[in-house]
Amino acid sequence: RSFWYRTEFKIPADFDKEIIWLNFDGINRKGQIYLNGNHLGDLDGFMHRGHFNVTQLVDRNGSNTLAVLVDIPRTPLANSGITDKVWLENTGKSTITDPWMRSKLVSRSLAELTLQTEITNNGDSQSKTMVKGTITPGNITFSQEVDLQAGETKTVKFDKRYFPQMVVNNPKLWWPNGYGEPHLYTCRLEVVHEGKTSET
């Protein structure tokens, strides 16, 4: 049968930026989402993710009620429920969505990097947003300014064609167990909206 999930929560005291988001990392297979009695929307798909701007619906000082009605499985052997994390996020007006990094190992001594992400202006007026990144180790830095209309989303891409620093000389490789160390590189992304860090 269909099943209700319900919880109450308060907004963290350090949420001092403009926008509050409610995120779902996975519902299987269909869920109706309600916050403080308001229907936010439905997630319909296997491990479907959700991202909702709840700024105008939450009580920043009191208690909030989240309820999710998960639909009965419609196929044999299908599990249903909230399968992954449900979490709150606080950002400024510019946000990052689904950044990904691709590395091409040209040789054991050279790797070429490509980073792509979507940047959204969630504000109600045109803005310039600065996208900044740092890859470590190596302290590789890159940045680009993006003009965005209100509500607009653009794809931003960094690669060696326009950003020659997007290469790693003598890269530390990720080796399978028993073959060597599983080295990791880290990329920190930041968007700056009107001079203030909006999201990292």
Side-chain angles (χ1 to χ4, degrees), residues 11 27-28 55 59 68 80 99 111 117 119 125 133 146 166 172 179:
I11 300 299
I27 287 182
N28 196 33
T55 308
D59 183 341
V68 180
S80 67
T117 188
I119 306 297
S125 61
V146 184
M166 296 293 285
K172 296 181 177 181
Y179 287 84

Side-chain angles (χ1 to χ4, degrees), residues 99-170:
W100 60 263
M101 178 77 74
R102 178 175 293 166
S103 58
K104 178 182 178 183
L105 195 63
V106 179
S107 69
R108 289 279 299 273
S109 62
L110 180 67
E112 298 174 353
L113 308 177
T114 301
L115 182 137
Q116 183 172 309
T117 188
E118 290 185 346
I119 306 297
T120 301
N121 174 8
N122 300 285
D124 54 9
S125 61
Q126 181 182 1
S127 74
K128 292 183 183 296
T129 295
M130 179 64 71
V131 185
K132 299 179 179 180
T134 303
I135 299 169
T136 53
N139 199 36
I140 299 169
T141 60
F142 51 92
S143 63
Q144 182 177 345
E145 189 174 70
V146 184
D147 282 319
L148 294 169
Q149 300 295 325
E152 184 180 14
T153 297
K154 283 186 179 178
T155 299
V156 179
K157 184 176 181 180
F158 298 91
D159 59 24
K160 73 167 191 170
R161 180 179 178 188
Y162 297 109
F163 300 89
Q165 67 269 39
M166 296 293 285
V167 296
V168 178
N169 293 304
N170 300 311

Side-chain angles (χ1 to χ4, degrees), residues 5-54:
Y5 293 81
R6 184 184 184 279
T7 191
E8 296 183 6
F9 64 91
K10 292 187 176 181
I11 300 299
D14 61 352
F15 273 31
D16 56 3
K17 294 181 179 176
E18 295 98 327
I19 303 177
I20 296 176
W21 303 92
L22 174 64
N23 298 293
F24 285 79
D25 285 349
I27 287 182
N28 196 33
R29 174 174 186 284
K30 184 176 182 180
Q32 300 173 39
I33 300 165
Y34 298 86
L35 178 63
N36 295 335
N38 299 282
H39 181 220
L40 297 182
D42 297 345
L43 299 183
D44 188 359
F46 293 105
M47 313 307 177
H48 197 172
R49 297 182 301 163
H51 185 63
F52 301 97
N53 183 340
V54 295

